[in-house]
Amino acid sequence: PELRLLDSYTAEGLKVKSVTARGKLAYAAAAYGGFFVLDTTGDKLRLLGRCDTPGNATEVALQGDSAFVADRPSGVQIIDIRDSSAPRIVGEYDSVELATGLDIRGDLMAVCNRTLGLELVDIRDALHPRHLGALRLGEAQGVRIVGERAYVGVWHNRKLAVVDIADPCRPRVMGEAALGGFGWGLAVSAVAILVRFAWVYFAAYLPRALSGSLRESEPRLRKREMGIISWCGMRGIVSLAAALALPAVLPGGGAFPH
């Protein structure tokens, strides 16, 4: 099906780094702009509430009535979201180092640390998170939990680490895959981006060139509007390129875990 932009929300200086949703509500981590709650009912986005965080809000995940925000120098901020119009910080988890990303599955939270790597935290009591274990991987920036595995993006070392978290007190590396940041991933990204820009400009200008009535009735799009339209959806394209860059086997010859 064709995708179309329904609405967008902007604010001065707002740089959204992560969004998650539940029902008709969207929750955004917006760097130094803090934490936002938006109503997505209908075709319009409406700001319901926000709260400042002391650091740099990088990623957000939900559990129950709480939002957990990776806030870089300020660890993980715990925000009460029961009142969407007035979210408020009710606690903080002092991560081992700068909290650059996180993910939650059940009562387990995985936190990326900028220089350490991966940290695992028990959040059964949301107001009193408890450290379970950690694993030195390098500069971790993103993590996703799937079953009893955590997939960790290690930025500085340009690798994807697959971690066994069946025992969160003793996580261990199952395998690693080098992701040099170039090669097929970059090539696919570049081609996809260029094709998208070319197609958007072609689709906008060709009908006007062929139809005089269209030129008279429809205003011409400005260059910056064309640029915005072309760039929409790039995150999905980059994710596709990253997926295509994953190897079929690990450096040791074993199959890539999935």
Side-chain angles (χ1 to χ4, degrees), residues 5 19 30 50 63 71 73 98 103 110 124 144 190 199 225 241:
L5 177 66
V19 176
R50 62 165 296 187
Q63 193 233 34
D71 206 37
L98 295 180
D103 193 23
R124 280 178 289 186
R144 287 296 178 266
W199 169 251
E225 292 173 336

Side-chain angles (χ1 to χ4, degrees), residues 77-125:
Q77 297 297 307
I78 305 165
I79 301 176
D80 185 338
I81 55 173
R82 286 177 293 183
D83 183 353
S84 301
S85 64
R88 60 189 182 92
I89 295 175
V90 293
E92 176 182 325
Y93 177 72
D94 186 12
S95 54
V96 172
E97 216 257 342
L98 295 180
T100 54
L102 55 79
D103 193 23
I104 293 174
R105 289 296 181 272
D107 296 325
L108 181 66
M109 177 171 66
V111 181
C112 289
N113 289 275
R114 187 176 182 274
T115 56
L116 171 76
L118 180 68
E119 183 177 5
L120 298 171
V121 184
D122 181 349
I123 56 171
R124 280 178 289 186
D125 183 349

Side-chain angles (χ1 to χ4, degrees), residues 14 27 30-31 38 59 76 79 86 88 101 116 118 134 145-146 160 163 171 173-174 179 215 230:
L14 180 64
Y27 304 85
L38 300 167
E59 190 159 17
V76 177
I79 301 176
R88 60 189 182 92
L116 171 76
L118 180 68
I145 301 173
V146 180
L160 175 70
V163 180
V173 175
M174 300 176 65
L179 302 175
R215 289 194 298 271
S230 300

Side-chain angles (χ1 to χ4, degrees), residues 55-258:
N56 181 351
T58 302
E59 190 159 17
V60 57
L62 308 178
Q63 193 233 34
D65 294 325
S66 301
F68 292 77
V69 178
D71 206 37
R72 289 187 70 86
S74 300
V76 177
Q77 297 297 307
I78 305 165
I79 301 176
D80 185 338
I81 55 173
R82 286 177 293 183
D83 183 353
S84 301
S85 64
R88 60 189 182 92
I89 295 175
V90 293
E92 176 182 325
Y93 177 72
D94 186 12
S95 54
V96 172
E97 216 257 342
L98 295 180
T100 54
L102 55 79
D103 193 23
I104 293 174
R105 289 296 181 272
D107 296 325
L108 181 66
M109 177 171 66
V111 181
C112 289
N113 289 275
R114 187 176 182 274
T115 56
L116 171 76
L118 180 68
E119 183 177 5
L120 298 171
V121 184
D122 181 349
I123 56 171
R124 280 178 289 186
D125 183 349
L127 297 181
H128 301 93
R130 183 171 62 90
H131 173 87
L132 295 175
L135 186 63
R136 188 174 294 278
L137 295 170
E139 187 172 346
Q141 294 283 348
V143 59
R144 287 296 178 266
I145 301 173
V146 180
E148 295 183 342
R149 293 173 178 168
Y151 295 81
V152 185
V154 186
W155 181 81
H156 181 73
N157 295 334
R158 300 178 182 178
K159 67 181 181 182
L160 175 70
V162 183
V163 180
D164 182 354
I165 57 172
D167 181 356
C169 297
R170 296 177 179 83
R172 64 180 183 87
V173 175
M174 300 176 65
E176 296 179 346
L179 302 175
F182 301 96
W184 283 110
L186 180 60
V188 173
S189 293
V191 170
I193 290 171
L194 290 173
V195 168
R196 180 174 178 84
F197 269 81
W199 169 251
V200 169
Y201 278 80
F202 176 80
Y205 290 129
L206 181 62
R208 293 179 61 84
L210 298 177
S211 172
S213 60
L214 183 62
R215 289 194 298 271
E216 295 175 0
S217 61
E218 296 292 336
R220 182 173 182 173
L221 289 172
R222 293 174 293 178
K223 289 183 178 180
R224 64 180 180 180
E225 292 173 336
M226 295 292 294
I228 292 173
I229 294 172
S230 300
W231 191 253
C232 289
M234 284 299 158
R235 289 196 174 199
I237 290 176
V238 173
S239 299
L240 175 61
L244 293 173
L246 293 176
V249 296
L250 297 174
F256 189 85
H258 59 81

Side-chain angles (χ1 to χ4, degrees), residues 8-16 30 33 36 38 47 50:
S8 62
Y9 176 82
T10 59
E12 184 177 357
L14 180 64
K15 296 182 179 179
V16 175
F36 285 71
L38 300 167
L47 177 65
R50 62 165 296 187

